[in-house]
């Protein structure tokens, strides 16, 4: 009876050790998994336009492109946006969209920038991001037209 009890006990100990090893290994792998993108949780609706301008600029300067994209998008939707803010906000939104991996949005904002300013296509920034955006979305016919 003792040998049966000892055999059963050794199986139980083995199962506990195996389970503990699995839990330890699984918890160690958590840090290796891709972490979710941190999405801004700030509501822009409660901000007045000047505060939104300041917060968008702060996000831009700290290279927080996801937040910058959100804030500049919301800013450009405002009816009371100062005229002098529209062009730089559009430029920064185009770049922020690209840097956030939203290439189709970046293309739309680059087109908007070009409509707002005749000088846009002469800007090295516009040229760089237009080229990189068309490459990212694999719009080679449009890229070919642009380069010719």
């Amino acid at each position: 009876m003792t040998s049966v009890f000892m055999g059963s006990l050794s199986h139980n100990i083995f199962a506990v050790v195996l389970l503990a090893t699995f839990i330890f290994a699984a918890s160690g792998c958590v840090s290796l998994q891709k972490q979710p993108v941190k999405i801004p949780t700030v509501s822009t609706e409660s901000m007045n336009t000047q505060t939104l301008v300041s917060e968008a600029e702060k996000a831009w300067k700290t290279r927080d492109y996801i937040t910058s994209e959100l804030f500049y998008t919301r800013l450009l939707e405002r009816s009371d946006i100062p005229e002098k803010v529209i062009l730089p906000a559009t430029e920064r939104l185009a770049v922020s969209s690209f840097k956030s991996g939203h290439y189709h949005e970046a293309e739309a904002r680059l087109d908007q920038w070009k409509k707002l300013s005749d000088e846009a296509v002469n800007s090295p920034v516009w040229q760089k991001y237009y080229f990189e955006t068309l490459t990212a979305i694999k719009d080679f016919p449009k890229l070919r037209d642009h380069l010719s």
Side-chain angles (χ1 to χ4, degrees):
M1 182 158 162
T2 307
S3 65
V4 172
F5 176 73
M6 292 302 280
S8 174
L9 180 63
S10 66
H11 285 300
N12 288 342
I13 290 173
F14 177 74
V16 169
V17 169
L18 185 62
L19 181 62
T21 303
F22 175 75
I23 290 171
F24 178 75
S27 68
C29 293
V30 170
S31 65
L32 300 177
Q33 294 176 356
K34 185 177 177 183
Q35 299 300 313
V37 173
K38 185 177 176 183
I39 298 174
T41 57
V42 177
S43 171
T44 58
E45 292 175 15
S46 62
M47 293 182 201
N48 66 37
T49 299
Q50 190 52 48
T51 302
L52 187 53
V53 169
S54 298
E55 291 298 313
E57 186 171 343
K58 187 180 350 174
W60 171 258
K61 286 182 176 180
T62 60
R63 297 181 178 170
D64 181 355
Y65 296 114
I66 292 173
T67 303
S68 173
E69 180 182 16
L70 171 68
F71 286 174
Y72 282 119
T73 298
R74 297 296 181 253
L75 181 61
L76 289 168
E77 293 171 349
R78 299 273 175 109
S79 59
D80 63 338
I81 183 173
E83 186 72 30
K84 67 181 183 182
V85 174
I86 295 173
L87 182 59
T90 304
E91 294 172 16
R92 289 177 175 183
L93 178 54
V95 174
S96 294
S97 296
F98 180 86
K99 296 269 190 177
S100 297
H102 303 134
Y103 305 119
H104 291 284
E105 181 67 19
E107 180 186 20
R109 297 308 180 160
L110 287 162
D111 287 340
Q112 184 180 11
W113 177 4
K114 186 169 79 172
K115 289 175 186 167
L116 288 172
S117 171
D118 295 334
E119 296 301 312
V121 294
N122 296 325
S123 163
V125 173
W126 189 92
Q127 287 290 331
K128 173 185 184 330
Y129 285 103
Y130 193 71
F131 176 84
E132 289 184 12
T133 296
L134 293 178
T135 301
I137 62 174
K138 297 177 176 49
D139 192 340
F140 300 119
K142 194 181 276 188
L143 184 58
R144 194 172 21 259
D145 289 344
H146 174 67
L147 294 175
S148 59

